[in-house]
Amino acid sequence: MAEIVAGVRTDLPARMAEVSPAVLRRRAEARGPRMTPDAVGAALRGTHGVRLIAEVKRVSPAMGRLAAIERPEALAAEYVAGGAAAISVLTEPRHFGGSLADLRAVRDSVSVPLLRKDFIVDPYQLAESAAAGADLVLLIVAALSGRQLDGLLKEAAEYGLAVLVETHTEQEVATAVAAGARIIGVNARNLTTLQVDRDTFPRLAAGIPADVVTVAESGVRGPADVGSYAGAGADAVLVGSALVIDDRPADAVAAMLAAGRREEAE
């Protein structure tokens, strides 16, 4: 992850020189009202089963090249047709092949909450996110100091952005809770080895307050894994690679949601 964050910091100055934060703020305001953070949280918490955040992702560090995705907006529309509650768009270019252009294209094609998934380390990226139409941004505890996390959470609130705070350990969950995070993700993938431990979610979710939205991340190979996460108490599951490589993404989303509902019914 350190290499990815270093690349993000390297790329930021050129973008900041090209478009100022003030211009980005005006662009965000020009887009009109965005879904409120409370509404985003409500969209990710259902009463009849797990919700699904479906991801637009061209490259996975663990699996390599996944798909070309020439029209990210078309893939996002398929996800929504299958019942996805939100769409996640990878915008990091060096390692994931994404861009803010992808985010803008998806924003113009769907009305569900839109997550900008990137390695956000600077307030400027929050301005970018709001201007591109994101409702939700990702902050990774492992990539930030406690002071940085607090500052970015406050700045996100000023832009009206909801925040998914990603954790990997019990200590990171405690940090997220102490910072006041309202949506906490538990990533089952070890950032160093890239290996997945699906027992990570139930272990860490025990430390998340009941009124906080919990999101299970990584390790979903198909409907059975979604059902397992739902049974462990996840409000939502973020799924990327398994959907991107499926020839029928709308059907794949629907099957995963059905598995989540069945698990809850049992």
Side-chain angles (χ1 to χ4, degrees):
M1 185 178 66
E3 180 184 353
I4 299 175
V5 171
V8 168
R9 293 191 181 280
T10 296
D11 294 340
L12 268 174
R15 299 209 303 274
M16 296 172 77
E18 184 177 351
V19 183
S20 72
V23 169
L24 287 175
R25 186 176 288 274
R26 289 196 293 272
R27 289 179 181 176
E29 293 170 351
R31 277 195 170 269
R34 186 185 298 104
M35 187 175 289
T36 67
D38 285 347
V40 172
L44 298 180
R45 171 173 271 173
T47 57
H48 301 292
V50 76
R51 297 293 175 91
L52 201 76
I53 306 171
E55 193 158 84
V56 176
K57 176 169 68 173
R58 294 186 177 88
V59 179
S60 162
M63 298 176 62
R65 186 79 171 175
L66 299 172
I69 312 182
E70 295 179 1
R71 297 183 62 235
E73 68 277 16
L75 179 58
E78 289 260 12
Y79 289 157
V80 173
I87 303 297
S88 169
V89 181
L90 258 300
T91 60
E92 196 281 329
R94 290 172 176 256
H95 300 269
F96 292 89
S99 70
L100 281 167
D102 292 339
L103 189 74
R104 289 188 289 268
V106 172
R107 173 75 294 161
D108 291 339
S109 69
V110 302
S111 59
V112 299
L114 181 59
L115 165 66
R116 180 191 182 182
K117 196 174 182 196
D118 207 321
F119 295 76
I120 292 179
V121 294
D122 190 279
Y124 182 83
Q125 294 167 283
L126 299 176
E128 287 181 323
S129 303
D135 304 290
L136 178 66
V137 293
L138 180 74
L139 295 181
I140 303 172
V141 174
L144 303 166
S145 68
R147 179 175 296 182
Q148 288 173 324
L149 177 62
D150 289 341
L152 289 170
L153 281 168
K154 290 184 176 66
E155 187 86 9
E158 292 182 11
Y159 281 105
L161 292 164
V163 180
L164 169 59
V165 180
E166 180 176 293
T167 64
H168 302 81
T169 67
E170 287 88 347
Q171 182 55 55
E172 289 179 7
V173 168
T175 297
V177 171
R182 303 305 304 158
I183 306 173
I184 295 179
V186 174
N187 195 330
R189 190 178 300 280
N190 184 296
L191 292 179
T192 302
T193 66
L194 299 183
Q195 297 300 306
V196 169
D197 178 1
R198 292 173 186 82
D199 292 330
T200 300
F201 178 81
R203 187 176 71 252
L204 270 59
I208 300 176
D211 63 340
V212 173
V213 176
T214 57
V215 180
E217 305 176 44
S218 293
V220 174
R221 298 159 295 188
D225 290 323
V226 174
S228 178
Y229 278 141
D235 293 306
V237 179
L238 193 153
V239 186
S241 302
L243 291 176
V244 170
I245 64 176
D246 198 291
D247 292 335
R248 303 174 67 179
D251 291 344
V253 169
M256 290 180 183
L257 288 171
R261 286 193 295 272
R262 286 196 299 273
E263 185 72 19
E264 184 183 70
E266 293 172 5

